[in-house]
Amino acid sequence: MSALVLGTVVIAVVGGLAVLIAGLAGLAPLALGLGFAIAGGIALFVQPFLGVAALATFSQLDAVEKLFFGFLPVSFFKLVGATLTLAVLANSIRFREQFHSVMRNPVIVMGLVFFLMTLVSMAGAEDKGRAISSVISSVSLILLLMLVTILSNTKRKVVIMLWILVGSSFVSAMILLVDVTLGVQLVAQSDAATTARTAEGVTRSSGGSDYNPTTAASMLLVGVIFALVHSFESPVWRWRLLMIAGIGTAAVVLSFARSAALAYFIIGLALVWRYHHWRYLPLGAAGAFCVGLALVPFVPIEYWERLSSLMSGSGDPTLGRRFTYNVIGIDLFVHHPLFGVGPSNFVHHYTNIEYRYLPGRTLLGRELHNMYLSVVVQYGLLGAFPFFAMLVLTFKQLRTVSRIPSTEALRVYAVALSYAIAAYLLASLFLPNEYTKYTWLLPGISTALFIVNERERIR
């Protein structure tokens, strides 16, 4: 009997007994919940890709996930991640070839090295509680990176993961537009997503995410840019993808996220340069300009005020705080250059008395809103190197797929994903995204695309 069949039988028998006992004890809701949990566990053991597809979907739509699974005593992501890890071990023979390819891939190697450096950096942290909590979160993120890469082991599965990025952005954009238009809050529940609604003088929404609106906008941008570039590169679903990109663009604007708007603008310039020889570019640019001009009256005045504050530097206290974050971060790096101050320990040092006179500093700990400087400060140069190498190698692999594709479709996917990840990483200049799931999900999908392309090309 194979390990997969044996594991499924054990889960079914033990789970069935648990349901029976709960039912006999008169705990009907518990029995019902156990029944669904057992059915889900068996499904993940039989077809673990369903689990990793769910993780990818709810990485952005985590507020939606909490509507369905918020009653669980443990995190949905941790529960599914642990189940998938067991499923991969039970299916070790089935995934042996993919596992070997994954463990030899430089992106995965750099991700694992970075995790090891978090353990080294943790040893020197002053706030051990925050450091340990951060390392535990890092375990989930590393598992996400590896599970996505291992289980997306065919061209069809990789394509599904890519369209999940577009679909989740579209759903989040629609929720955001409804929130802003009707002044409601459909799914967001966390303090990060809800306190920013009126804290900055505007009504904001995180869409289908429970992250704060600015971080949610950076994830939303991934699907929007992917859809936009794919529509330029291929006629497949062109008008549908342009519609999704248009709706997503409106959502990015109404998220009031300046970092996402700036990243979108820079990627837009890069796309104009890429397609400057395209014969339809003047017509497309004129059409986009006319549509944009027609929509200007519908853009809230507060949005223009937030953008203008980037130039004037006045009227927005958050800009002063962000300047202070970077000043403190640079000072901490100078004093801890090799191993950093420890995972999540910037928050601890932010309130040090020597920084009390810096503009915009508060008495509450804050994160450093710059992913790259944040990694350098908290993990030092020795920890930052594998993290940055992981991101650089991700682009290198996508470039390889776009230059030597096994099929035209994979070339289009590689190009679109490159620009989508670039937009996300540009927005991360203003966000502490090192612990955001998309920072690890996107390299995982890119690596899976690279491995599948190499395998298809050899065949």
Side-chain angles (χ1 to χ4, degrees):
M1 183 180 294
S2 69
L4 173 61
V5 175
L6 179 61
T8 304
V9 170
V10 170
I11 290 176
V13 172
V14 175
L17 289 174
V19 172
L20 179 60
I21 293 171
L24 293 175
L27 302 175
L30 176 60
L32 184 62
L34 284 173
F36 280 114
I38 293 164
I42 293 174
L44 293 182
F45 263 78
V46 174
Q47 184 50 267
F49 178 73
L50 295 176
V52 85
L55 291 181
T57 301
F58 293 131
S59 288
Q60 180 171 178
L61 302 177
D62 52 337
V64 178
E65 170 261 311
K66 289 177 183 177
L67 290 179
F68 295 101
F69 305 105
F71 64 91
L72 293 173
V74 295
S75 164
F76 170 83
F77 279 89
K78 289 183 173 62
L79 183 61
V80 173
T83 305
L84 287 179
T85 302
L86 294 175
V88 169
L89 294 175
N91 286 272
S92 56
I93 296 178
R94 175 180 165 193
F95 293 110
R96 181 174 55 188
E97 180 184 354
Q98 181 75 357
F99 185 77
H100 288 164
S101 299
V102 168
M103 294 309 295
R104 291 195 302 265
N105 188 276
V107 170
I108 304 301
V109 171
M110 288 296 102
L112 291 173
V113 171
F114 173 73
F115 174 71
L116 294 176
M117 291 308 303
T118 65
L119 300 178
V120 175
S121 179
M122 181 182 66
E126 291 185 10
D127 190 334
K128 288 293 193 296
R130 289 184 183 275
I132 292 173
S133 177
S134 176
V135 169
I136 293 173
S137 297
S138 297
V139 173
S140 299
L141 296 171
I142 290 294
L143 276 179
L144 177 64
L145 171 68
M146 296 188 64
L147 289 172
V148 166
T149 312
I150 292 171
L151 296 175
S152 304
N153 59 339
T154 66
K155 178 182 175 181
R156 178 172 172 270
K157 291 177 180 177
V158 172
V159 171
I160 290 174
M161 295 294 283
L162 291 170
W163 290 118
I164 283 175
L165 297 178
V166 177
S168 55
S169 287
F170 176 69
V171 171
S172 189
M174 294 299 294
I175 294 174
L176 187 149
L177 293 176
V178 172
D179 280 359
V180 173
T181 303
L182 301 181
V184 297
Q185 183 179 304
L186 289 180
V187 295
Q189 305 172 40
S190 70
D191 289 339
T194 57
T195 55
R197 287 177 59 83
T198 56
E200 299 177 22
V202 295
T203 300
R204 304 184 67 188
S205 170
S206 296
S209 175
D210 247 352
Y211 285 97
N212 65 74
T214 305
T215 301
S218 70
M219 296 187 291
L220 170 64
L221 193 60
V222 172
V224 173
I225 296 298
F226 184 93
L228 184 64
V229 177
H230 192 288
S231 67
F232 292 160
E233 292 284 332
S234 170
V236 177
W237 291 0
R238 173 168 287 163
W239 295 109
R240 297 177 188 176
L241 291 176
L242 283 174
M243 179 196 70
I244 291 174
I247 293 173
T249 300
V252 170
V253 171
L254 294 178
S255 72
F256 291 90
R258 290 166 296 193
S259 55
L262 182 60
Y264 202 144
F265 176 74
I266 294 173
I267 292 299
L269 293 179
L271 292 177
V272 169
W273 174 254
R274 176 178 176 83
Y275 301 112
H276 69 279
H277 291 307
W278 190 32
R279 60 177 178 172
Y280 295 114
L281 180 62
L283 180 62
F289 177 78
C290 291
V291 171
L293 199 62
L295 294 177
V296 165
F298 300 97
V299 178
I301 187 64
E302 293 87 356
Y303 182 74
W304 303 115
E305 292 174 352
R306 281 179 63 82
L307 289 183
S308 64
S309 67
L310 288 173
M311 301 297 180
S312 64
S314 61
D316 191 345
T318 61
L319 294 179
R321 288 203 303 266
R322 289 172 186 266
F323 174 77
T324 297
Y325 301 153
N326 287 273
V327 171
I328 295 175
I330 293 172
D331 183 69
L332 290 174
F333 168 68
V334 169
H335 290 89
H336 306 271
L338 291 181
F339 300 105
V341 298
S344 292
N345 264 235
F346 175 83
V347 176
H348 170 75
H349 290 275
Y350 177 81
T351 55
N352 284 353
I353 193 169
E354 59 263 33
Y355 303 129
R356 63 189 181 279
Y357 295 120
L358 290 175
R361 199 194 72 120
T362 65
L363 296 178
L364 297 176
R366 305 280 295 185
E367 293 181 323
L368 204 170
H369 284 52
N370 179 333
M371 181 177 74
Y372 309 100
L373 182 57
S374 180
V375 170
V376 171
V377 169
Q378 296 181 110
Y379 301 102
L381 292 174
L382 297 181
F385 175 79
F387 181 81
F388 296 150
M390 178 183 72
L391 299 179
V392 171
L393 290 168
T394 295
F395 280 103
K396 183 179 179 181
Q397 291 187 159
L398 289 175
R399 184 179 179 87
T400 300
V401 177
S402 64
R403 288 192 167 189
I404 319 173
S406 59
T407 65
E408 172 63 13
L410 289 185
R411 183 197 70 81
V412 173
Y413 292 140
V415 173
L417 189 56
S418 296
Y419 281 96
I421 295 177
Y424 176 80
L425 294 181
L426 282 171
S428 297
L429 278 166
F430 311 97
L431 295 167
N433 270 347
E434 61 268 27
Y435 300 118
T436 303
K437 295 180 182 70
Y438 259 45
T439 304
W440 302 89
L441 173 67
L442 296 175
I445 296 176
S446 303
T447 302
L449 176 61
F450 173 78
I451 292 174
V452 166
N453 182 71
E454 292 297 296
R455 189 176 298 145
E456 292 289 323
R457 198 163 55 86
I458 292 172
R459 287 176 182 173

